[in-house]
Amino acid sequence: MIHSIAQKEFISTLRDTRFVVLSALVLALLLAATLVGRASYRTLQQERQLAQGTVNEQFRNQPARHPHRVAHYGSFAFRPKSGLSLLDSGVDSFTGSAVYLEAHQQNSVNFSAAQQSGSLLRFGEMTVAFVLQLLVPLLIIFLCFGAFTQERETGTLKLLLSQGLTMRQVAWGKIRGYGQAVALVVAPTLLLAAALLFAGEEFASDLDLAARLGLFVVSYAVYFFLFVVGAVVVSARQTSSRAALVTLLGFWILSGIILPKATANLGASLFPASTKAQMDADVHEEAQHGLNGHDPQDKRAAALKADLLKKYGVDSEEKLPVSVAGLQMAAGEEYSSKVYQQHFAALNATYERQNRLSDWAGLLNPYQAIRPLSMGLAGSDFAHYVHFQQAAEAYRYSLVQRLNGLQASMGYGDKERRLDASTWRELPVFAYQTPGLGWALPQLLLPIVALLLWAGLLSWLGLRLIAKTSVA
């Protein structure tokens, strides 16, 4: 009998002109967002790959130079786009795409879309995730708000129950029928996204991407299930269709607009982040306490030189087998790098505390559970950004220290000498690999648990409430 009710609701929904129009609009937005996202992904990915290849070639083809000139010449690290970012661009538009790697300082990631575009981007992007998270729930509300109220108003609910059905069975039948209608709207987009992803050679055999897409689909299926069940429960508990619609629209506004904004403001107030200017000033001040490789009169440099003379048993710098300046550079780089890492770690920890507050809010608001989960699976959340930032810094530090080592091995009088151009072609270039799903999942446990708790509690409590609802 549940199957019959589901079929009846599904067919009735397809005959509803309002649903057909709204569904066509949402489906068109989803398909357009998918195609635009794919085109944007390919353009940005090709641009970044080209830029990375160009700067790598420029670095390798430098003329004969002193190693420290090469360290100051530096290089760039470009963050590649993750495959699923065509569905959810997450924080990519605000976190930047490239970082300049040079001696003595750790730069932040720059050249974000938000920096290069107008204020329109700050109102949100028309991505697949935006449509799935906000517009599809709105479609579900308009689809389900009259699930029980209209049956009461037309008197058909008593007829249904007179067939021996319980309110719980009727509710499940409606949930199943509405679920099929929602799947009819969303499934074409996800199938198109999968086809676009795996038709490309770069993702043809990418099992990690397939697993991420699978979990992405399951997560949104649970999210839509929540809204279908919630809308049916509200419809059963309200006395009129108008009251049910107003209640559901109020929840949609509260969960999708007011609570996320309030949580973000609360997080920024509880865990304020220092400004870039303040951080730069703090780092500059602390770096002064370390060894300055460019200052031969520095007391710490003099102490290092004295230790080297003692170590090698000689009485002058000219007799040393190593370059004092090169070792000073290495010691100064080690100190300044620690200072930068401590400040960047503190700044990232502040942002993570702000984000964690929003994640915990997912226990109260399903929208704030699906949002971080969607970004995390798409590889476009803050954690993936920090992973790239740390990989770029690890490469920068390794490269600069390798160049300092080359300088140190040149011995006394290194400033007047140059290393052959072939030396730079032997140095490794920056190559970044996005972390796999196994790395991302532990950081997404809270949103996953929140979403499952919502599904379990709403199904259990909601259907108990429906079972106790008056028929009249």
Side-chain angles (χ1 to χ4, degrees), residues 420-443:
D420 188 78
S422 62
T423 306
W424 322 130
R425 288 192 283 276
E426 296 174 1
L427 297 175
V429 294
F430 181 73
Y432 179 70
Q433 180 64 46
T434 302
L437 181 61
W439 175 88
L441 274 180
Q443 303 174 65

Side-chain angles (χ1 to χ4, degrees), residues 92-362:
D92 282 0
S93 300
F94 301 91
T95 51
S97 58
V99 56
Y100 179 47
L101 311 173
E102 60 178 328
H104 307 315
Q105 63 181 33
Q106 180 181 350
N107 297 309
S108 55
V109 186
N110 290 312
F111 307 114
S112 68
Q115 288 175 322
Q116 302 170 61
S117 63
S119 58
L120 191 61
L121 183 64
R122 292 168 178 78
F123 289 94
E125 296 176 271
M126 181 57 75
T127 63
V128 173
F130 172 81
V131 180
L132 293 177
Q133 290 166 10
L134 287 175
L135 298 189
V136 172
L138 195 58
L139 175 68
I140 292 172
I141 287 173
F142 283 110
L143 173 65
C144 304
F145 76 93
F148 275 95
T149 54
Q150 286 179 354
E151 297 279 10
R152 283 200 194 93
E153 288 161 0
T154 56
T156 52
L157 183 57
K158 289 182 179 178
L159 289 176
L160 272 175
L161 298 178
S162 67
Q163 304 299 313
L165 288 170
T166 64
M167 286 286 281
R168 188 186 294 255
Q169 288 174 317
V170 174
W172 272 122
K174 290 179 178 294
I175 290 168
R176 186 171 161 183
Y178 293 140
Q180 292 173 351
V182 173
L184 196 64
V185 177
V186 176
T189 297
L190 295 176
L191 289 173
L192 174 63
L196 290 173
L197 276 173
F198 297 108
E201 293 181 0
E202 68 269 39
F203 298 127
S205 58
D206 193 332
L207 294 178
D208 186 79
L209 188 70
R212 282 176 181 262
L213 181 60
L215 283 178
F216 189 87
V217 173
V218 171
S219 301
Y220 276 101
V222 174
Y223 181 62
F224 299 148
F225 172 76
L226 288 176
F227 272 88
V228 171
V229 173
V232 169
V233 171
V234 169
S235 180
R237 300 293 295 179
Q238 294 294 336
T239 55
S240 69
S241 296
R242 177 179 296 180
L245 181 60
V246 170
T247 302
L248 289 168
L249 287 178
F251 176 77
W252 181 82
I253 294 171
L254 181 68
S255 65
I257 299 173
I258 297 176
L259 279 179
K261 180 66 176 172
T263 308
N265 289 341
L266 180 63
S269 300
L270 291 176
F271 310 110
S274 61
T275 62
K276 186 176 186 305
Q278 182 63 51
M279 180 176 159
D280 288 344
D282 292 343
V283 169
H284 179 73
E285 182 182 352
E286 288 187 34
Q288 300 303 312
H289 300 299
L291 194 152
N292 185 349
H294 283 292
D295 182 7
Q297 304 304 318
D298 188 287
K299 292 182 179 179
R300 292 170 292 262
L304 175 66
K305 179 179 174 182
D307 289 343
L308 287 171
L309 295 175
K310 183 178 180 180
K311 176 182 177 182
Y312 288 98
V314 295
D315 56 4
S316 67
E317 184 177 343
E318 290 83 348
K319 297 177 182 176
L320 285 173
V322 295
S323 163
V324 175
L327 294 174
Q328 287 175 356
M329 292 293 178
E333 192 66 44
E334 182 180 357
Y335 182 84
S336 64
S337 178
K338 286 180 180 175
V339 172
Y340 271 103
Q341 286 180 18
Q342 288 171 358
H343 281 269
F344 270 99
L347 185 63
N348 288 338
T350 300
Y351 289 142
E352 285 167 2
R353 282 193 286 270
Q354 293 177 1
N355 293 338
R356 188 54 63 179
L357 183 68
S358 182
D359 290 349
W360 279 105

